[in-house]
Structure formats: C-alpha cells, structure tokens
C-alpha cells in the first residue's frame, strides 16, 4: 500500500493548526506536531523541514481555503454580501480552523499577519465589487466580523443574522 504524500502533509498541517489553536506557537513544536499527526519526526521533517516550513504550509493552505471561499462568494445566488453574512459565524470548518491558526501565528510571524490582511482585502474586494460601495462593503465585513467574534466567544444571539438580514432588506439589499 502506497502512502499519499499530500494526505500526510494535510494530516501534519491539521495537527499543526490544532496545536496552535489549543496551545499557541509554543505548544506547536515539531515533536508535538509529529505526535499529534501520528507521524514520525523524520516523516514530518521529510514534508516540512522546519517549523518555518510548517508555518509557510499552514499559510499557503489558508490562502487556498480563502480562494475557494471567494469563488463561492462570487457565485452565491443571493449575492456575496448574503453569503458572507451567512457564513461569517461558521465555526469548526477547515477555513475557520485555518484562520484561528493564522491568528495564533500572527502573534509572532509577520507573514501570518500579512496573510490575514490579504484575506480581509479579498473578502472586501468581493463585497465591494458586488455592492459598488466601499462604505457599505466595509460595513457588511465589520458586521460579519462581529458575528464571528460573538460566535467564537459563545456570545452569539441565535437571531442575530435575522436582524441583519431585516436591515439589509430595508436597504434594498
């Protein structure tokens, strides 16, 4: 039985991201990542020769997830703004886990801060391209940010999205 190299890389990145979420960068050591993934340290080093390479791999994966999300946003039947708000408070998704990992990395790595900034710009651009109003696009993005933060801190009101959609309907959106 042949091992699939990309499966092993994804398993290692999953382990790295999970450790970042649970323990921060200090707890996401090479030894801990290998153990969490069920891979030997040599196997980890074969795919990612250093922690810096793991960081790079994690951020590259974030970019892939964001690119896919932007595609779905732009293709959404009800428009990117509705898609953005509908998905803003989703937790536990691969994109969510990747964003949390990047947020942890951003405390120490400039490239993670840059990747998160690029993500925000991409979402904003998709919203602005659709709405044609940068102020409205930013307002939608900030509402989504608030919904995400509330969800992640257990403060979410189950009716929040309904309230937002009612206001958007009154605005003709």
């Amino acid at each position: 039985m042949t091992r699939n190299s990309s499966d092993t890389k994804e398993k290692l990145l999953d382990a790295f991201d999970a450790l970042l979420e649970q323990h921060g960068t200090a707890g996401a050591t090479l030894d801990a990542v290998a153990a969490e993934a069920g891979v030997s340290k040599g196997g980890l080093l074969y795919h990612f020769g250093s922690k810096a390479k793991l960081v790079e791999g994690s951020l590259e994966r974030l970019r892939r997830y964001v690119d896919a999300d932007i595609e779905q946003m732009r293709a959404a039947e009800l428009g990117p703004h509705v898609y953005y708000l509908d998905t803003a408070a989703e937790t536990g998704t691969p994109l969510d886990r990747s964003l949390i990992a990047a947020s942890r990395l951003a405390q120490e790595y400039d490239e993670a801060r840059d990747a998160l900034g690029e993500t925000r710009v991409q979402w904003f651009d998709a919203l602005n391209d659709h709405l044609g109003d940068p102020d409205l696009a930013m307002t939608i993005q900030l509402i989504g940010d608030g919904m995400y933060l509330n969800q992640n801190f257990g403060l979410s009101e189950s009716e929040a999205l309904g309230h937002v959609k009612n206001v958007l309907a009154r605005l003709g959106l």
Side-chain angles (χ1 to χ4, degrees):
M1 179 173 174
T2 335
R3 289 186 194 165
N4 186 333
S5 181
S6 64
D7 288 347
T8 302
K9 285 179 96 167
E10 286 301 308
K11 187 190 301 188
L12 289 163
L13 290 172
D14 287 344
F16 184 56
D17 287 356
L19 288 165
L20 285 167
E21 181 178 357
Q22 296 165 12
H23 306 290
T25 55
T29 65
L30 294 178
D31 288 328
V33 171
E36 179 79 12
V39 174
S40 69
K41 188 170 179 183
L44 177 141
L45 291 171
Y46 173 78
H47 294 287
F48 299 100
S50 65
K51 190 169 184 177
K53 291 293 183 186
L54 270 170
V55 169
E56 183 180 305
S58 180
L59 297 176
E60 284 174 11
R61 185 164 76 163
L62 171 63
R63 288 181 181 98
R64 287 193 309 271
Y65 288 152
V66 170
D67 288 345
D69 191 58
I70 295 295
E71 274 185 48
Q72 290 178 331
M73 255 180 98
R74 290 185 184 277
E77 187 176 324
L78 297 176
H81 63 296
V82 175
Y83 173 90
Y84 185 79
L85 292 170
D86 279 343
T87 61
E90 289 181 342
T91 58
T93 65
L95 175 56
D96 175 54
R97 289 189 300 271
S98 193
L99 285 167
I100 291 169
S103 297
R104 292 296 189 115
L105 289 169
Q107 296 170 10
E108 294 182 34
Y109 295 89
D110 290 340
E111 56 267 37
R113 282 189 290 281
D114 293 344
L116 289 169
E118 292 163 14
T119 295
R120 292 198 50 74
V121 167
Q122 285 181 270
W123 280 327
F124 172 81
D125 288 346
L127 291 167
N128 191 39
D129 290 348
H130 173 70
L131 296 168
D133 180 336
D135 294 329
L136 183 55
M138 181 57 65
T139 299
I140 296 293
Q141 191 168 28
L142 292 170
I143 290 168
D145 291 349
M147 291 171 61
Y148 180 76
L149 286 172
N150 282 339
Q151 182 68 30
N152 276 294
F153 289 108
L155 304 174
S156 182
E157 180 191 324
S158 61
E159 312 263 330
L161 183 57
H163 293 299
V164 171
K165 286 183 174 182
N166 288 338
V167 170
L168 292 178
R170 285 193 298 242
L171 295 172
L173 299 170

PDB file of all heavy atoms in Angstrom, residues 71-84:
ATOM      1  N   GLU A  71     -14.458  32.277  -4.381  1.00  0.00           N
ATOM      2  CA  GLU A  71     -15.181  31.733  -5.544  1.00  0.00           C
ATOM      3  C   GLU A  71     -16.641  31.467  -5.198  1.00  0.00           C
ATOM      4  O   GLU A  71     -17.547  31.808  -5.964  1.00  0.00           O
ATOM      5  CB  GLU A  71     -14.536  30.430  -6.016  1.00  0.00           C
ATOM      6  CG  GLU A  71     -13.398  30.597  -6.970  1.00  0.00           C
ATOM      7  CD  GLU A  71     -12.899  29.265  -7.496  1.00  0.00           C
ATOM      8  OE1 GLU A  71     -13.733  28.432  -7.931  1.00  0.00           O
ATOM      9  OE2 GLU A  71     -11.671  29.058  -7.463  1.00  0.00           O
ATOM     10  N   GLN A  72     -16.860  30.843  -4.049  1.00  0.00           N
ATOM     11  CA  GLN A  72     -18.234  30.560  -3.623  1.00  0.00           C
ATOM     12  C   GLN A  72     -18.995  31.856  -3.353  1.00  0.00           C
ATOM     13  O   GLN A  72     -20.184  31.957  -3.679  1.00  0.00           O
ATOM     14  CB  GLN A  72     -18.238  29.664  -2.382  1.00  0.00           C
ATOM     15  CG  GLN A  72     -17.780  28.261  -2.676  1.00  0.00           C
ATOM     16  CD  GLN A  72     -17.747  27.395  -1.433  1.00  0.00           C
ATOM     17  OE1 GLN A  72     -17.544  27.874  -0.323  1.00  0.00           O
ATOM     18  NE2 GLN A  72     -17.946  26.099  -1.628  1.00  0.00           N
ATOM     19  N   MET A  73     -18.331  32.829  -2.767  1.00  0.00           N
ATOM     20  CA  MET A  73     -18.956  34.128  -2.509  1.00  0.00           C
ATOM     21  C   MET A  73     -19.445  34.757  -3.797  1.00  0.00           C
ATOM     22  O   MET A  73     -20.595  35.191  -3.895  1.00  0.00           O
ATOM     23  CB  MET A  73     -17.925  35.089  -1.885  1.00  0.00           C
ATOM     24  CG  MET A  73     -18.055  35.345  -0.425  1.00  0.00           C
ATOM     25  SD  MET A  73     -16.757  36.496   0.108  1.00  0.00           S
ATOM     26  CE  MET A  73     -17.659  38.025   0.097  1.00  0.00           C
ATOM     27  N   ARG A  74     -18.558  34.814  -4.771  1.00  0.00           N
ATOM     28  CA  ARG A  74     -18.867  35.491  -6.030  1.00  0.00           C
ATOM     29  C   ARG A  74     -19.975  34.763  -6.799  1.00  0.00           C
ATOM     30  O   ARG A  74     -20.712  35.389  -7.556  1.00  0.00           O
ATOM     31  CB  ARG A  74     -17.612  35.634  -6.876  1.00  0.00           C
ATOM     32  CG  ARG A  74     -16.619  36.635  -6.284  1.00  0.00           C
ATOM     33  CD  ARG A  74     -15.432  36.853  -7.211  1.00  0.00           C
ATOM     34  NE  ARG A  74     -14.417  37.722  -6.638  1.00  0.00           N
ATOM     35  CZ  ARG A  74     -14.449  39.052  -6.650  1.00  0.00           C
ATOM     36  NH1 ARG A  74     -15.468  39.676  -7.188  1.00  0.00           N
ATOM     37  NH2 ARG A  74     -13.473  39.752  -6.108  1.00  0.00           N
ATOM     38  N   ALA A  75     -20.080  33.455  -6.599  1.00  0.00           N
ATOM     39  CA  ALA A  75     -21.087  32.656  -7.310  1.00  0.00           C
ATOM     40  C   ALA A  75     -22.402  32.520  -6.541  1.00  0.00           C
ATOM     41  O   ALA A  75     -23.362  31.954  -7.061  1.00  0.00           O
ATOM     42  CB  ALA A  75     -20.518  31.270  -7.602  1.00  0.00           C
ATOM     43  N   ALA A  76     -22.459  33.046  -5.345  1.00  0.00           N
ATOM     44  CA  ALA A  76     -23.643  32.870  -4.493  1.00  0.00           C
ATOM     45  C   ALA A  76     -24.879  33.483  -5.146  1.00  0.00           C
ATOM     46  O   ALA A  76     -24.859  34.630  -5.598  1.00  0.00           O
ATOM     47  CB  ALA A  76     -23.401  33.491  -3.117  1.00  0.00           C
ATOM     48  N   GLU A  77     -25.943  32.711  -5.169  1.00  0.00           N
ATOM     49  CA  GLU A  77     -27.183  33.126  -5.818  1.00  0.00           C
ATOM     50  C   GLU A  77     -27.754  34.424  -5.244  1.00  0.00           C
ATOM     51  O   GLU A  77     -28.232  35.280  -5.982  1.00  0.00           O
ATOM     52  CB  GLU A  77     -28.216  32.005  -5.688  1.00  0.00           C
ATOM     53  CG  GLU A  77     -29.481  32.244  -6.467  1.00  0.00           C
ATOM     54  CD  GLU A  77     -30.432  31.076  -6.385  1.00  0.00           C
ATOM     55  OE1 GLU A  77     -29.974  29.914  -6.368  1.00  0.00           O
ATOM     56  OE2 GLU A  77     -31.643  31.342  -6.339  1.00  0.00           O
ATOM     57  N   LEU A  78     -27.715  34.564  -3.936  1.00  0.00           N
ATOM     58  CA  LEU A  78     -28.270  35.762  -3.297  1.00  0.00           C
ATOM     59  C   LEU A  78     -27.256  36.905  -3.186  1.00  0.00           C
ATOM     60  O   LEU A  78     -27.566  37.958  -2.630  1.00  0.00           O
ATOM     61  CB  LEU A  78     -28.814  35.414  -1.911  1.00  0.00           C
ATOM     62  CG  LEU A  78     -29.981  34.424  -1.904  1.00  0.00           C
ATOM     63  CD1 LEU A  78     -30.377  34.063  -0.478  1.00  0.00           C
ATOM     64  CD2 LEU A  78     -31.168  34.982  -2.671  1.00  0.00           C
ATOM     65  N   GLY A  79     -26.061  36.689  -3.682  1.00  0.00           N
ATOM     66  CA  GLY A  79     -25.037  37.723  -3.675  1.00  0.00           C
ATOM     67  C   GLY A  79     -23.965  37.473  -2.637  1.00  0.00           C
ATOM     68  O   GLY A  79     -24.203  36.825  -1.612  1.00  0.00           O
ATOM     69  N   PRO A  80     -22.773  38.001  -2.895  1.00  0.00           N
ATOM     70  CA  PRO A  80     -21.662  37.841  -1.973  1.00  0.00           C
ATOM     71  C   PRO A  80     -21.935  38.362  -0.569  1.00  0.00           C
ATOM     72  O   PRO A  80     -21.463  37.789   0.410  1.00  0.00           O
ATOM     73  CB  PRO A  80     -20.529  38.631  -2.636  1.00  0.00           C
ATOM     74  CG  PRO A  80     -20.853  38.588  -4.081  1.00  0.00           C
ATOM     75  CD  PRO A  80     -22.363  38.651  -4.143  1.00  0.00           C
ATOM     76  N   HIS A  81     -22.701  39.436  -0.448  1.00  0.00           N
ATOM     77  CA  HIS A  81     -22.953  40.008   0.875  1.00  0.00           C
ATOM     78  C   HIS A  81     -23.790  39.066   1.734  1.00  0.00           C
ATOM     79  O   HIS A  81     -23.517  38.903   2.924  1.00  0.00           O
ATOM     80  CB  HIS A  81     -23.597  41.387   0.765  1.00  0.00           C
ATOM     81  CG  HIS A  81     -24.943  41.408   0.119  1.00  0.00           C
ATOM     82  ND1 HIS A  81     -25.141  41.052  -1.196  1.00  0.00           N
ATOM     83  CD2 HIS A  81     -26.154  41.752   0.611  1.00  0.00           C
ATOM     84  CE1 HIS A  81     -26.424  41.171  -1.496  1.00  0.00           C
ATOM     85  NE2 HIS A  81     -27.064  41.592  -0.409  1.00  0.00           N
ATOM     86  N   VAL A  82     -24.775  38.392   1.146  1.00  0.00           N
ATOM     87  CA  VAL A  82     -25.588  37.436   1.900  1.00  0.00           C
ATOM     88  C   VAL A  82     -24.757  36.202   2.236  1.00  0.00           C
ATOM     89  O   VAL A  82     -24.786  35.711   3.364  1.00  0.00           O
ATOM     90  CB  VAL A  82     -26.874  37.069   1.126  1.00  0.00           C
ATOM     91  CG1 VAL A  82     -27.647  35.975   1.854  1.00  0.00           C
ATOM     92  CG2 VAL A  82     -27.745  38.301   0.928  1.00  0.00           C
ATOM     93  N   TYR A  83     -23.981  35.726   1.264  1.00  0.00           N
ATOM     94  CA  TYR A  83     -23.106  34.577   1.519  1.00  0.00           C
ATOM     95  C   TYR A  83     -22.142  34.892   2.668  1.00  0.00           C
ATOM     96  O   TYR A  83     -21.956  34.087   3.579  1.00  0.00           O
ATOM     97  CB  TYR A  83     -22.311  34.222   0.249  1.00  0.00           C
ATOM     98  CG  TYR A  83     -21.269  33.163   0.482  1.00  0.00           C
ATOM     99  CD1 TYR A  83     -21.570  31.818   0.324  1.00  0.00           C
ATOM    100  CD2 TYR A  83     -19.977  33.503   0.879  1.00  0.00           C
ATOM    101  CE1 TYR A  83     -20.608  30.837   0.540  1.00  0.00           C
ATOM    102  CE2 TYR A  83     -19.013  32.533   1.108  1.00  0.00           C
ATOM    103  CZ  TYR A  83     -19.337  31.202   0.937  1.00  0.00           C
ATOM    104  OH  TYR A  83     -18.378  30.242   1.170  1.00  0.00           O
ATOM    105  N   TYR A  84     -21.527  36.065   2.614  1.00  0.00           N
ATOM    106  CA  TYR A  84     -20.550  36.453   3.637  1.00  0.00           C
ATOM    107  C   TYR A  84     -21.184  36.441   5.021  1.00  0.00           C
ATOM    108  O   TYR A  84     -20.627  35.896   5.969  1.00  0.00           O
ATOM    109  CB  TYR A  84     -19.955  37.830   3.314  1.00  0.00           C
ATOM    110  CG  TYR A  84     -18.849  38.232   4.251  1.00  0.00           C
ATOM    111  CD1 TYR A  84     -17.564  37.719   4.087  1.00  0.00           C
ATOM    112  CD2 TYR A  84     -19.073  39.108   5.302  1.00  0.00           C
ATOM    113  CE1 TYR A  84     -16.540  38.078   4.951  1.00  0.00           C
ATOM    114  CE2 TYR A  84     -18.056  39.475   6.166  1.00  0.00           C
ATOM    115  CZ  TYR A  84     -16.791  38.957   5.986  1.00  0.00           C
ATOM    116  OH  TYR A  84     -15.786  39.305   6.839  1.00  0.00           O
TER     117      TYR A  84
END
